[in-house]
Amino acid sequence: MLIRPWRAGDERLVEAVQRHLSARSIDRRFLAGSGGRLPAFYLCHIAAGPRPEWDAEVALDGGQLCGWAEYGRRPADAPEADLAVLVADPWQRTGLATTLIRALVPRMAAAGVRTVQADVSGTNAATKGLVRALAGPNHAAIHEDGLLRYTFDLRSEGHPVDEARVEVAALLEHVRHAIA
């Protein structure tokens, strides 16, 4: 399993992995009905590649995309960013989402992101657990527009950026064993 920053051309890998993304997985990522396909506007958005307002970390297994974690912000230098992750169905529940986010955290911090927001459907238990694990067990969500909105500081105690760097290697090893 290779975890690396997004590169130009990765949008083609995203298009290829769609056959491994159920409509449910896509709907949970975009919080709306998808018809089983990634939205066209989104494919155009990610094709522009990394830039100050958007970046991502990807996971590859034998050259095939398994998932990605991304952040977006407006304006491009805002200290707040929205966080999202999408893992292809065969690699779900392996710890890959956590690994991707932990790998992305140091790059977010280096880009000036200080506060992270994640919107989650109240019925998505797996993602709620993931966000709680990242934000801390006592971190509560705010109910807003029918969603749970988690907001946390990248620099908060128990979630320092340096700790995230150290944990990535251990999480990668866990993922390797889980999908083997």
Coordinates of all heavy atoms in Angstrom, one line a residue, residues 89-152:
D89 N -15.0 0.5 -1.7 CA -15.7 -0.5 -0.9 C -14.8 -1.7 -0.5 O -14.8 -2.1 0.7 CB -16.9 -1.1 -1.6 CG -18.0 0.0 -1.8 OD1 -17.7 1.2 -1.6 OD2 -19.2 -0.4 -2.1
P90 N -13.9 -2.3 -1.4 CA -13.1 -3.4 -0.9 C -12.1 -3.1 0.2 O -11.7 -4.0 0.9 CB -12.4 -3.8 -2.2 CG -13.2 -3.3 -3.3 CD -13.8 -2.0 -2.8
W91 N -11.8 -1.8 0.4 CA -10.8 -1.4 1.4 C -11.4 -0.7 2.6 O -10.7 -0.3 3.5 CB -9.8 -0.5 0.7 CG -8.9 -1.2 -0.2 CD1 -7.8 -1.9 0.0 CD2 -9.1 -1.3 -1.7 NE1 -7.3 -2.4 -1.1 CE2 -8.1 -2.1 -2.2 CE3 -10.1 -0.8 -2.5 CZ2 -8.0 -2.3 -3.5 CZ3 -10.0 -1.1 -3.9 CH2 -8.9 -1.9 -4.4
Q92 N -12.8 -0.7 2.7 CA -13.4 -0.1 3.8 C -13.2 -0.9 5.0 O -13.1 -2.2 4.9 CB -14.9 0.2 3.5 CG -15.1 1.3 2.5 CD -16.6 1.5 2.2 OE1 -17.5 0.9 2.8 NE2 -16.8 2.4 1.3
R93 N -13.3 -0.3 6.2 CA -13.2 -1.0 7.5 C -11.8 -1.6 7.7 O -11.7 -2.6 8.4 CB -14.3 -1.9 7.7 CG -15.6 -1.3 7.6 CD -16.7 -1.8 8.5 NE -18.0 -1.4 8.2 CZ -18.5 -0.2 8.0 NH1 -17.7 0.8 8.0 NH2 -19.8 0.1 7.8
T94 N -10.8 -1.1 7.1 CA -9.4 -1.6 7.2 C -8.5 -0.6 8.0 O -7.3 -0.9 8.2 CB -8.7 -1.8 5.9 OG1 -8.6 -0.6 5.2 CG2 -9.5 -2.9 5.1
G95 N -9.0 0.6 8.3 CA -8.2 1.6 8.9 C -7.6 2.6 7.9 O -6.9 3.5 8.2
L96 N -7.9 2.4 6.6 CA -7.4 3.2 5.6 C -7.8 4.7 5.6 O -7.0 5.6 5.5 CB -7.7 2.6 4.2 CG -7.1 3.3 3.0 CD1 -5.6 3.4 3.1 CD2 -7.5 2.6 1.7
A97 N -9.0 4.9 6.0 CA -9.5 6.3 6.1 C -8.7 7.1 7.1 O -8.3 8.2 6.9 CB -11.0 6.4 6.4
T98 N -8.5 6.4 8.3 CA -7.7 7.0 9.4 C -6.3 7.3 8.9 O -5.8 8.3 9.1 CB -7.8 6.1 10.6 OG1 -9.1 5.9 11.0 CG2 -7.0 6.7 11.7
T99 N -5.7 6.3 8.2 CA -4.4 6.4 7.7 C -4.2 7.6 6.8 O -3.3 8.4 6.9 CB -3.9 5.1 7.1 OG1 -4.0 4.1 8.0 CG2 -2.5 5.3 6.6
L100 N -5.2 7.7 5.9 CA -5.2 8.8 4.9 C -5.3 10.2 5.6 O -4.5 11.1 5.3 CB -6.3 8.6 3.9 CG -6.0 7.6 2.8 CD1 -7.3 7.2 2.1 CD2 -5.0 8.1 1.8
I101 N -6.2 10.3 6.5 CA -6.4 11.6 7.2 C -5.2 11.9 8.0 O -4.7 13.0 8.0 CB -7.7 11.5 8.1 CG1 -8.9 11.5 7.1 CG2 -7.7 12.8 9.0 CD1 -10.2 11.2 7.8
R102 N -4.6 10.9 8.7 CA -3.4 11.2 9.5 C -2.2 11.6 8.6 O -1.4 12.5 9.1 CB -3.0 10.0 10.3 CG -4.1 9.6 11.4 CD -3.7 10.1 12.7 NE -4.6 9.6 13.7 CZ -5.0 10.3 14.8 NH1 -4.6 11.5 14.9 NH2 -5.8 9.7 15.6
A103 N -2.2 11.1 7.4 CA -1.1 11.5 6.5 C -1.3 12.9 6.0 O -0.4 13.6 5.7 CB -1.0 10.5 5.4
L104 N -2.6 13.3 5.9 CA -2.9 14.6 5.4 C -2.7 15.7 6.4 O -2.4 16.9 6.0 CB -4.4 14.6 4.8 CG -4.9 15.8 4.1 CD1 -4.1 16.1 2.9 CD2 -6.4 15.6 3.8
V105 N -2.9 15.4 7.7 CA -2.9 16.4 8.7 C -1.6 17.3 8.7 O -1.7 18.5 8.7 CB -3.1 15.8 10.1 CG1 -2.7 16.7 11.2 CG2 -4.6 15.4 10.2
P106 N -0.4 16.7 8.6 CA 0.8 17.6 8.6 C 0.8 18.5 7.4 O 1.3 19.6 7.5 CB 2.0 16.6 8.6 CG 1.4 15.3 9.1 CD 0.0 15.3 8.7
R107 N 0.3 18.1 6.3 CA 0.3 18.9 5.1 C -0.7 20.0 5.2 O -0.5 21.2 4.8 CB 0.1 18.1 3.8 CG 1.3 17.2 3.6 CD 1.3 16.4 2.3 NE 0.7 17.0 1.2 CZ -0.4 16.5 0.6 NH1 -0.9 15.3 0.9 NH2 -0.9 17.1 -0.5
M108 N -1.8 19.7 5.9 CA -2.8 20.7 6.1 C -2.3 21.8 7.0 O -2.4 23.0 6.8 CB -4.1 20.1 6.8 CG -4.9 19.2 5.9 SD -6.2 18.3 6.7 CE -7.3 19.6 7.1
A109 N -1.6 21.4 8.1 CA -1.0 22.3 9.0 C 0.1 23.2 8.4 O 0.1 24.4 8.6 CB -0.4 21.6 10.2
A110 N 0.9 22.5 7.5 CA 1.9 23.3 6.8 C 1.3 24.3 5.9 O 2.0 25.4 5.6 CB 2.8 22.3 6.1
A111 N 0.1 24.0 5.4 CA -0.5 25.0 4.4 C -1.3 26.1 5.2 O -1.9 27.0 4.6 CB -1.5 24.2 3.5
G112 N -1.2 26.0 6.5 CA -1.9 27.1 7.3 C -3.3 26.7 7.8 O -3.9 27.6 8.4
V113 N -3.7 25.5 7.6 CA -5.0 25.1 8.2 C -4.9 24.9 9.7 O -3.9 24.2 10.1 CB -5.5 23.8 7.5 CG1 -6.8 23.3 8.1 CG2 -5.7 24.0 6.0
R114 N -5.8 25.5 10.4 CA -5.7 25.3 11.9 C -7.0 24.7 12.4 O -6.9 24.0 13.4 CB -5.6 26.7 12.5 CG -4.3 27.4 12.1 CD -3.1 26.7 12.7 NE -1.8 27.2 12.2 CZ -1.0 26.6 11.3 NH1 -1.3 25.4 10.9 NH2 0.1 27.2 11.0
T115 N -8.1 24.9 11.7 CA -9.4 24.3 12.2 C -10.0 23.5 11.1 O -10.0 23.9 9.9 CB -10.4 25.4 12.5 OG1 -9.7 26.3 13.5 CG2 -11.6 24.9 13.1
V116 N -10.4 22.3 11.5 CA -11.0 21.3 10.5 C -12.5 21.1 10.8 O -12.8 21.0 12.0 CB -10.2 20.0 10.6 CG1 -10.8 19.0 9.6 CG2 -8.8 20.2 10.2
Q117 N -13.3 21.1 9.8 CA -14.7 20.7 9.9 C -15.0 19.5 9.1 O -14.4 19.3 8.0 CB -15.6 21.9 9.4 CG -15.4 23.1 10.2 CD -16.4 24.2 9.7 OE1 -17.1 24.1 8.7 NE2 -16.4 25.3 10.4
A118 N -15.9 18.7 9.6 CA -16.3 17.5 8.9 C -17.8 17.3 9.1 O -18.3 17.3 10.2 CB -15.6 16.2 9.3
D119 N -18.6 17.3 8.0 CA -20.0 17.1 8.1 C -20.3 15.6 7.9 O -19.8 15.0 6.9 CB -20.8 17.9 7.0 CG -20.7 19.4 7.3 OD1 -20.5 19.8 8.5 OD2 -20.8 20.2 6.4
V120 N -21.2 15.0 8.7 CA -21.4 13.6 8.7 C -22.9 13.4 8.8 O -23.6 14.0 9.7 CB -20.7 12.9 9.8 CG1 -20.9 11.4 9.8 CG2 -19.2 13.2 9.7
S121 N -23.4 12.5 8.0 CA -24.8 12.0 8.2 C -25.0 11.4 9.5 O -24.1 10.6 9.9 CB -25.2 11.1 7.1 OG -26.4 10.4 7.4
G122 N -26.1 11.6 10.2 CA -26.3 11.0 11.5 C -26.4 9.5 11.5 O -26.3 8.8 12.5
T123 N -26.7 8.9 10.3 CA -26.8 7.5 10.1 C -25.5 6.8 9.8 O -25.5 5.6 9.7 CB -27.9 7.2 9.1 OG1 -27.5 7.7 7.8 CG2 -29.3 7.7 9.4
N124 N -24.5 7.5 9.6 CA -23.2 7.0 9.1 C -22.3 6.7 10.4 O -21.5 7.5 10.7 CB -22.5 7.9 8.2 CG -21.3 7.3 7.5 OD1 -20.8 6.3 8.0 ND2 -20.9 7.9 6.4
A125 N -22.6 5.6 11.0 CA -21.9 5.2 12.2 C -20.4 5.1 12.1 O -19.6 5.5 12.9 CB -22.5 3.9 12.8
A126 N -19.9 4.5 11.0 CA -18.5 4.3 10.7 C -17.8 5.7 10.7 O -16.7 5.9 11.3 CB -18.3 3.5 9.5
T127 N -18.3 6.6 9.9 CA -17.7 7.9 9.8 C -17.8 8.7 11.1 O -16.8 9.4 11.4 CB -18.3 8.7 8.6 OG1 -18.1 7.9 7.4 CG2 -17.5 10.0 8.4
K128 N -18.9 8.6 11.8 CA -19.0 9.3 13.1 C -17.9 8.8 14.0 O -17.2 9.5 14.7 CB -20.3 9.1 13.7 CG -21.4 9.9 13.0 CD -22.7 9.8 13.8 CE -23.2 8.5 14.1 NZ -24.6 8.4 14.7
G129 N -17.7 7.5 14.0 CA -16.6 6.9 14.8 C -15.2 7.4 14.4 O -14.4 7.7 15.3
L130 N -15.0 7.4 13.1 CA -13.7 7.9 12.6 C -13.5 9.4 13.0 O -12.4 9.7 13.6 CB -13.7 7.8 11.1 CG -12.5 8.5 10.4 CD1 -11.2 7.9 10.7 CD2 -12.8 8.5 8.9
V131 N -14.4 10.2 12.9 CA -14.2 11.6 13.2 C -14.1 11.8 14.7 O -13.2 12.5 15.2 CB -15.4 12.5 12.7 CG1 -15.3 13.9 13.2 CG2 -15.4 12.5 11.2
R132 N -14.8 11.0 15.5 CA -14.6 11.1 17.0 C -13.2 10.6 17.3 O -12.6 11.2 18.2 CB -15.7 10.3 17.7 CG -17.0 11.0 17.8 CD -17.9 10.3 18.8 NE -18.2 8.9 18.5 CZ -19.2 8.5 17.8 NH1 -20.0 9.3 17.3 NH2 -19.3 7.2 17.5
A133 N -12.7 9.6 16.7 CA -11.4 9.1 17.0 C -10.3 10.2 16.6 O -9.3 10.3 17.3 CB -11.1 7.8 16.2
L134 N -10.6 10.9 15.6 CA -9.6 11.9 15.2 C -9.7 13.2 16.0 O -8.7 13.8 16.4 CB -9.8 12.3 13.7 CG -9.4 11.2 12.7 CD1 -10.0 11.5 11.3 CD2 -7.9 10.9 12.7
A135 N -11.0 13.6 16.4 CA -11.2 14.8 17.1 C -11.1 14.6 18.6 O -10.9 15.6 19.3 CB -12.6 15.4 16.8
G136 N -11.2 13.4 19.1 CA -11.1 13.1 20.5 C -12.4 12.5 21.0 O -13.5 12.9 20.5
P137 N -12.4 11.6 22.0 CA -13.6 10.9 22.4 C -14.6 11.8 23.1 O -15.8 11.5 23.1 CB -13.0 9.9 23.4 CG -11.7 10.4 23.8 CD -11.2 11.2 22.7
N138 N -14.2 12.9 23.6 CA -15.2 13.8 24.3 C -15.6 14.9 23.4 O -16.3 15.9 23.9 CB -14.6 14.4 25.6 CG -14.2 13.3 26.5 OD1 -15.0 12.3 26.7 ND2 -13.1 13.4 27.2
H139 N -15.3 14.9 22.1 CA -15.6 16.0 21.2 C -17.0 15.8 20.7 O -17.3 14.7 20.1 CB -14.6 16.0 20.1 CG -14.6 17.3 19.3 ND1 -13.9 18.4 19.7 CD2 -15.3 17.6 18.2 CE1 -14.1 19.3 18.9 NE2 -14.9 18.9 17.9
A140 N -17.9 16.7 20.9 CA -19.3 16.6 20.5 C -19.5 17.3 19.1 O -18.8 18.3 18.8 CB -20.2 17.2 21.5
A141 N -20.5 16.8 18.4 CA -20.8 17.4 17.1 C -22.0 18.4 17.4 O -22.8 18.2 18.3 CB -21.3 16.4 16.1
I142 N -22.1 19.3 16.5 CA -23.3 20.2 16.5 C -24.2 19.8 15.4 O -23.8 19.5 14.3 CB -22.8 21.7 16.2 CG1 -21.9 22.2 17.3 CG2 -24.0 22.6 16.0 CD1 -21.2 23.5 17.0
H143 N -25.5 19.7 15.7 CA -26.5 19.3 14.7 C -26.8 20.6 13.9 O -27.2 21.6 14.4 CB -27.8 18.8 15.3 CG -27.6 17.5 16.0 ND1 -27.8 16.3 15.3 CD2 -27.2 17.1 17.2 CE1 -27.5 15.3 16.1 NE2 -27.1 15.8 17.3
E144 N -26.6 20.5 12.6 CA -26.8 21.6 11.7 C -27.3 21.2 10.3 O -26.7 20.3 9.7 CB -25.5 22.4 11.6 CG -25.7 23.8 10.9 CD -24.3 24.5 10.9 OE1 -23.9 24.9 12.0 OE2 -23.8 24.7 9.8
D145 N -28.4 21.7 9.9 CA -29.0 21.3 8.6 C -29.1 19.8 8.4 O -28.9 19.3 7.3 CB -28.1 21.9 7.5 CG -28.0 23.4 7.4 OD1 -29.1 24.0 7.8 OD2 -27.0 24.0 7.1
G146 N -29.5 19.1 9.4 CA -29.8 17.7 9.4 C -28.5 16.8 9.4 O -28.6 15.6 9.2
L147 N -27.4 17.5 9.6 CA -26.1 16.8 9.7 C -25.4 17.0 11.0 O -25.8 17.9 11.7 CB -25.2 17.3 8.5 CG -25.6 17.1 7.1 CD1 -24.7 17.9 6.2 CD2 -25.7 15.7 6.7
L148 N -24.4 16.2 11.3 CA -23.6 16.4 12.4 C -22.3 17.1 11.9 O -21.7 16.7 11.0 CB -23.1 15.0 13.0 CG -24.3 14.2 13.6 CD1 -23.7 12.8 14.0 CD2 -25.0 14.9 14.7
R149 N -22.0 18.2 12.5 CA -20.8 19.0 12.1 C -19.8 18.9 13.3 O -20.1 19.4 14.4 CB -21.2 20.5 11.9 CG -19.9 21.3 11.6 CD -20.1 22.6 11.0 NE -20.3 22.3 9.6 CZ -20.6 23.2 8.7 NH1 -20.8 24.4 9.0 NH2 -20.8 22.9 7.4
Y150 N -18.7 18.3 12.9 CA -17.6 18.2 13.9 C -16.6 19.3 13.5 O -16.2 19.5 12.3 CB -16.9 16.9 13.7 CG -17.7 15.7 14.2 CD1 -18.6 15.0 13.3 CD2 -17.7 15.3 15.5 CE1 -19.4 14.0 13.8 CE2 -18.4 14.2 16.0 CZ -19.3 13.6 15.1 OH -20.0 12.5 15.5
T151 N -16.1 20.0 14.5 CA -15.1 21.0 14.3 C -14.0 20.8 15.3 O -14.3 20.6 16.5 CB -15.7 22.5 14.5 OG1 -16.7 22.6 13.5 CG2 -14.6 23.5 14.2
F152 N -12.8 20.7 14.9 CA -11.7 20.6 15.9 C -10.4 21.3 15.4 O -10.2 21.5 14.2 CB -11.4 19.1 16.2 CG -11.1 18.2 15.0 CD1 -9.8 17.9 14.7 CD2 -12.1 17.7 14.2 CE1 -9.5 17.1 13.6 CE2 -11.8 16.9 13.2 CZ -10.5 16.6 12.9

